[in-house]
Amino acid sequence: MRLTSEQRLDDGVLVREFTLGEIPGTLWTPASAAPAPLILMAHNNGLPKSDGRLVARARHAAGRGYAVASVDAAGCGDRPRSAAEEQTRADLRRAMRAGEPVDAIFESLVGPLVEKAAPEWRTTLDALLTLPGIGGPVGYSGWTALGIRLAVSEPRIAAAGFFAGGYVPHAQREEARQVTAPVLLLLQWDDEGNPRQRALDLFDAFGTRQKTLHANMGGHTGTPWFEAEDAGRFFDRHLK
């Protein structure tokens, strides 16, 4: 891991940019010198790790005493995409605008993204846990499909917070039955891009007995800010 920049914010949070091979990442660590639990904060749909909503959540969690890391996994941010992937994204956008079925297109896009992203996140986790000031346990927050794969394949993840969950590939819906770590699922009731019933079915499928569902009115980007506080309390229960 190579650190490329660092900045101390007014609230004492230290922000460091890093690269790990081809993987670019950002690490937020709290002002306290004590070893901090780590939260992996993932995004999807090609968004960069610098997305404003993700940065706000990361800074909030760091202010609560967590180290938070996000990376641009394959296909996200400035990472190169293949022509075939760009065409699939275009096909998905066109089908959604036209109100056509999107399941097959979605599977062909998101399934391979999960397969590529999960190993990169595990490599990142290995490197992060060698840094001074970062200790266990580890939490996960964000992209549901990737989080399910990591929660099943990575025993160091002690709790997971997921968003949406309407469109999750079939493979991860099956894997959800193997998730044993505590889960918090956030659902926007009127999310135009994530069918509500599918999200509810996914919540029912999670194998863990420690699972909580928070549903709020509004569209995909309308999650109330108080959910950040509730997510903080969720991670406090399981990571501290």
Side-chain angles (χ1 to χ4, degrees), residues 131-176:
L131 297 179
I134 298 179
V138 179
Y140 174 91
S141 175
W143 179 15
T144 301
L146 172 64
I148 292 172
R149 168 59 59 85
L150 291 178
V152 169
S153 63
E154 180 47 72
R156 289 173 291 186
I157 292 180
F162 298 135
F163 295 88
Y167 280 120
V168 171
H170 179 74
Q172 278 68 64
R173 288 185 172 274
E174 289 301 312
E175 288 176 335

Side-chain angles (χ1 to χ4, degrees), residues 165 173 176-177 185 187 195-206 211:
R173 288 185 172 274
R177 304 180 190 283
L185 177 64
L187 168 63
R196 180 193 309 161
Q197 189 57 53
R198 291 191 184 188
L200 296 174
D201 291 343
L202 178 66
F203 179 76
D204 190 51
F206 283 123
K211 52 185 176 181

Side-chain angles (χ1 to χ4, degrees), residues 2-83:
R2 183 170 68 90
L3 298 177
T4 58
S5 70
E6 68 176 46
Q7 178 186 9
R8 180 75 66 177
L9 304 180
D10 291 342
D11 57 3
V13 171
L14 181 63
V15 183
R16 287 173 283 181
E17 301 292 330
F18 65 86
T19 58
L20 187 61
E22 298 179 351
I23 309 168
T26 305
L27 174 64
W28 296 262
T29 48
S32 171
L38 174 65
I39 296 177
L40 306 178
M41 195 165 284
H43 51 85
N44 66 331
N45 199 30
L47 291 173
K49 58 185 176 58
S50 59
D51 177 74
R53 288 175 296 163
L54 184 145
V55 171
R57 287 168 33 223
R59 289 190 60 177
H60 182 270
R64 294 183 68 99
Y66 292 97
V68 183
S70 183
V71 303
D72 281 340
C76 291
D78 294 328
R79 298 285 297 277
R81 301 175 187 171
S82 68

Side-chain angles (χ1 to χ4, degrees), residues 67-112:
V68 183
S70 183
V71 303
D72 281 340
C76 291
D78 294 328
R79 298 285 297 277
R81 301 175 187 171
S82 68
E85 183 181 324
E86 290 288 11
Q87 182 59 55
T88 304
R89 289 181 181 276
D91 292 343
L92 180 62
R93 290 192 294 268
R94 179 199 57 77
M96 293 185 73
R97 286 195 302 266
E100 298 173 356
V102 298
D103 284 31
I105 303 174
F106 182 84
E107 289 277 347
S108 67
L109 174 65
V110 178

